[in-house]
Amino acid sequence: MEAEEAVKRVRDEDNSEDHHGESEPKKLALSDDQANIKIQTLNLKGDYVTIINKGTTEVDISGWILKDAGSKRFTFPKEIILKPGNTVTVWSGKKSPAKQNPPSSLFWTKQYVWNDSGDTATLMTPDELIVDSHEEHPHVHPTGLTISCLDLISEYVSVINEGSESLDISGYFIKSIVGSQIFLFPENSVLKPGDSISIWSGKHSEKMHNPPSSIAWTKQFIWSNDGDAAVLYDVDGNAISHKRQFPHRSLEKKVTPPKHSTPQILRKSQ
């Protein structure tokens, strides 16, 4: 991985230095717990970075530094502790203040930080040891990826890969139009040609959880029974598929059959 290569490069540079004097300077190195902190997502268009703890121990990242490929830097405030499996997202851009919800969501600046033409996010300790680095380039829309089904009553939406190549949809997200709820596809979400994935919601969603083909979203009811639409977005926030569903109502009207009168036989008068 890029992060591991970056850490190894820093360590190799330290080992290759020719120190002079009676005592050699103390070399700094990441702990195993620190090395488990990874950059999960760098979204150039959405202007945010998500960081995850992939280890089994909570890690205090207060004072850590997040920087772009240029000179912009964000320093994590005090008491930001990442528990195992938890994430923290750092937002920038005009709408970013609305995303502020510590410790899981932090505001950086109203300025746009990440370059839409490509950028690199680097995470460092307060001593500027590189923990992880993630390079991102503009995303090319995959062909054949589409929302195949939206079921308002059963509470699920399905996405299928109708193309000829496997597609990594990690970081893609589905949004409901009526409620504006968002489901973010987790890391390592890969759809092979012809494969589909269903996202379930509602009180029975956990019973349907069977990754990677079936994922439970939430126990809440997401889709409006009065009609709703699902939109699939790529990691850059570009809409690539749309599915609208209306309530199923019978088009057949109940018709009362006409009453037939008893036929009269007309007789000619004699």
Side-chain angles (χ1 to χ4, degrees), residues 29-209:
L30 293 174
S31 68
D32 291 339
D33 292 337
Q34 289 175 324
N36 285 323
I37 306 299
K38 304 293 183 183
I39 296 175
Q40 183 182 52
T41 304
L42 167 57
N43 191 310
L44 302 177
K45 190 167 184 179
D47 232 64
Y48 68 85
V49 176
T50 300
I51 295 165
I52 187 171
N53 182 357
K54 291 189 173 182
T56 57
T57 306
E58 65 180 27
V59 178
D60 187 348
I61 63 172
S62 306
W64 284 31
I65 301 164
L66 177 66
K67 68 180 294 291
D68 68 346
S71 58
K72 301 183 184 71
R73 289 187 170 209
F74 171 80
T75 301
F76 286 86
K78 295 180 180 179
E79 300 182 357
I80 300 298
I81 298 174
L82 268 184
K83 295 182 179 180
N86 283 9
T87 62
V88 57
T89 300
V90 180
W91 296 87
S92 46
K94 293 181 179 179
K95 298 181 180 180
S96 58
K99 307 292 185 178
Q100 175 83 344
N101 185 27
S104 61
S105 187
L106 303 174
F107 163 61
W108 180 349
T109 174
K110 288 185 178 180
Q111 296 180 346
Y112 291 106
V113 171
W114 308 105
N115 192 331
D116 287 352
S117 62
D119 213 328
T120 301
T122 302
L123 182 65
M124 302 184 293
T125 66
D127 299 318
E128 298 198 359
L129 287 176
I130 295 178
V131 180
D132 197 14
S133 182
H134 182 90
E135 185 176 357
E136 189 71 26
H137 298 281
H139 192 74
V140 178
H141 287 178
T143 57
L145 191 63
T146 185
I147 297 176
S148 58
C149 179
L150 172 59
D151 193 312
L152 305 179
I153 305 301
S154 299
E155 281 280 328
Y156 74 89
V157 58
S158 296
V159 176
I160 188 171
N161 179 6
E162 296 179 333
S164 58
E165 298 181 356
S166 294
L167 299 175
D168 186 350
I169 60 173
S170 307
Y172 282 46
F173 57 96
I174 290 177
K175 178 180 178 181
S176 67
I177 293 301
V178 172
S180 297
Q181 299 98 326
I182 290 177
F183 172 82
L184 183 68
F185 283 94
E187 193 174 6
N188 298 322
S189 296
V190 178
L191 274 181
K192 296 180 180 179
D195 283 358
S196 64
I197 181 172
S198 296
I199 311 302
W200 295 84
S201 47
K203 60 182 180 180
H204 299 301
S205 58
E206 292 185 353
K207 294 181 180 180
M208 308 305 296
H209 189 66

